[in-house]
Amino acid sequence: MEYVVLQNGVKMPKLGFGVFQISKEECEKCVLDALKVGYRHIDTAQSYMNEEEVGNAIKNCEIPREELFITTKVWIDNYGYEKTRKSVLESMNKLKVEYIDLVLLHQPFGDYYSSYHALEDLYREGKIRAIGVSNFYPDRLADLAVFNEIKPHVNQVEVNPIHQQTKAQENMLDFGVQMQAWAPFGEGKNNMFQNAVLKEIGDNYNKTVAQVILRWLMQRNIVALAKSTHVERMKENFDIFDFELTPSDMEKIATLDKNESLFFNHQTPEIVKMFSKMIENRRGRI
């Protein structure tokens, strides 16, 4: 395993196992399988509605707690100082842990400023080892970093070969914020797994397109989240530490960048409205 060290000295595994869209019925088994494969970094969220199942896996895995790195995210409907604080403590109970390694604000909408202050206080109390945000664009990230006592330690954003986020990463580096990638495979959009450039590079190392993408992220010093419900695919995604891409490989992958999201742009009014509807749909289920 490779690691990054956050600005506060916390050591974070570069490769994590994400549980987005993994059902309650499958989640505990999938996390246990991932831990057996070798993953030690597990990423969940309040809005994924599977924190309890992740907690069951943590309780039953027999791996010392200090060897695990657990992330969750505060959902928008829990923004506001008191609601955020209460929700994080509830997440701790669901995860069956005495501290959470990383807590992020999931989306850049609503009263995220008050929520961030709640995370700062929970961090000072030792209930959280690191704090940060998710899906924050450079301007809003800079705002939080400049006008708060504790800069975000992590920003989890979409990063893949089609949306490489190079300028965003430069901005994060300016503030000492660690970039973390969700959807590194773009959920297969844009025919990602059949991309000729990625396949050619993979063939040179006897590696798959997915392995090339994860290796590319490792070499950009970006923490990556890989998700699968199949053990063999978990093993494949984890098998990326025995090869290294050349500068030429990295340059070829750089040419794939279209500098646009494969999913949505958080800066448009339509997406804000979409999340408003999502809040109503999920209210009471989280």
Side-chain angles (χ1 to χ4, degrees):
M1 178 56 67
E2 297 176 10
Y3 297 85
V4 296
V5 178
L6 304 181
Q7 60 179 278
N8 64 346
V10 168
K11 191 176 178 182
M12 181 181 188
K14 264 190 179 182
L15 181 62
F17 181 77
V19 299
F20 176 56
Q21 293 180 331
I22 297 182
S23 68
K24 285 177 173 289
E25 292 73 23
E26 290 184 294
C27 188
E28 181 179 347
K29 181 183 182 301
C30 287
V31 174
L32 286 171
D33 286 342
L35 293 171
K36 288 176 184 175
V37 167
Y39 292 87
R40 293 295 180 267
H41 175 179
I42 308 297
D43 179 277
T44 185
Q46 294 171 355
S47 70
Y48 298 172
M49 293 177 277
N50 56 21
E51 286 179 312
E52 288 186 75
E53 288 69 28
V54 171
N56 291 338
I58 293 170
K59 179 181 178 182
N60 296 325
C61 70
E62 299 183 353
I63 296 171
R65 174 66 183 92
E66 61 271 17
E67 293 183 16
L68 301 176
F69 192 99
I70 309 299
T71 300
T72 195
K73 309 174 197 74
V74 179
W75 182 234
I76 316 168
D77 209 22
N78 288 328
Y79 281 10
Y81 184 92
E82 293 298 337
K83 289 178 72 175
T84 291
R85 183 179 178 86
K86 180 181 177 182
S87 77
V88 172
L89 296 177
E90 288 175 353
S91 289
M92 287 175 60
N93 287 332
K94 289 179 179 179
L95 291 166
K96 301 171 181 63
V97 294
E98 295 181 356
Y99 64 89
I100 303 174
D101 297 278
L102 175 64
V103 178
L104 308 176
L105 300 182
H106 206 156
Q107 303 291 346
F109 306 127
D111 188 12
Y112 61 81
Y113 240 89
S114 295
S115 295
Y116 192 77
H117 293 323
L119 295 190
E120 287 183 307
D121 285 347
L122 289 163
Y123 172 76
R124 293 186 187 99
E125 294 166 21
K127 292 181 171 61
I128 305 172
R129 296 180 68 222
I131 63 176
V133 293
S134 180
N135 300 305
F136 273 58
Y137 282 59
D139 57 335
R140 295 198 180 191
L141 180 68
D143 181 28
L144 279 181
V146 170
F147 293 107
N148 287 282
E149 181 179 343
I150 301 171
K151 292 181 175 63
H153 299 118
V154 173
N155 187 13
Q156 185 182 121
V157 296
E158 175 196 350
V159 190
N160 52 63
I162 307 303
H163 190 39
Q164 299 189 12
Q165 298 270 39
T166 53
K167 290 295 183 183
Q169 187 177 20
E170 291 173 8
N171 182 64
M172 292 184 210
L173 289 171
D174 284 344
F175 293 107
V177 179
Q178 174 63 48
M179 178 179 267
Q180 184 176 37
W182 60 260
F185 311 137
E187 295 184 1
K189 295 177 184 291
N190 213 59
N191 212 22
M192 184 86 70
F193 293 116
Q194 302 304 319
N195 182 277
V197 171
L198 298 174
K199 283 177 68 68
E200 181 182 6
I201 292 172
D203 288 344
N204 291 335
Y205 302 97
N206 196 28
K207 295 292 184 179
T208 66
V209 166
Q211 289 170 320
V212 169
I213 292 171
L214 293 174
R215 186 69 236 165
W216 167 72
L217 289 166
M218 298 296 105
Q219 290 180 216
R220 287 185 62 196
N221 206 41
I222 298 172
V223 175
L225 298 172
K227 184 202 82 175
S228 179
T229 57
H230 304 289
V231 175
E232 290 307 312
R233 185 58 59 82
M234 294 177 193
K235 291 178 180 177
E236 176 188 307
N237 291 339
F238 197 78
D239 185 22
I240 59 169
F241 301 107
D242 60 350
F243 77 111
E244 186 169 320
L245 301 175
T246 66
S248 175
D249 294 331
M250 298 294 284
E251 289 171 9
K252 289 176 183 177
I253 296 174
T255 66
L256 302 176
D257 190 12
K258 294 185 178 180
N259 197 33
E260 59 184 27
S261 172
L262 290 173
F263 300 92
F264 39 70
N265 183 344
H266 287 77
Q267 294 176 310
T268 64
E270 292 77 16
I271 295 304
V272 178
K273 292 176 184 177
M274 182 193 82
F275 274 98
S276 175
K277 291 180 181 177
M278 195 181 298
I279 291 170
E280 291 296 329
N281 291 336
R282 296 188 182 187
R283 187 163 286 168
R285 294 165 57 199
I286 298 173

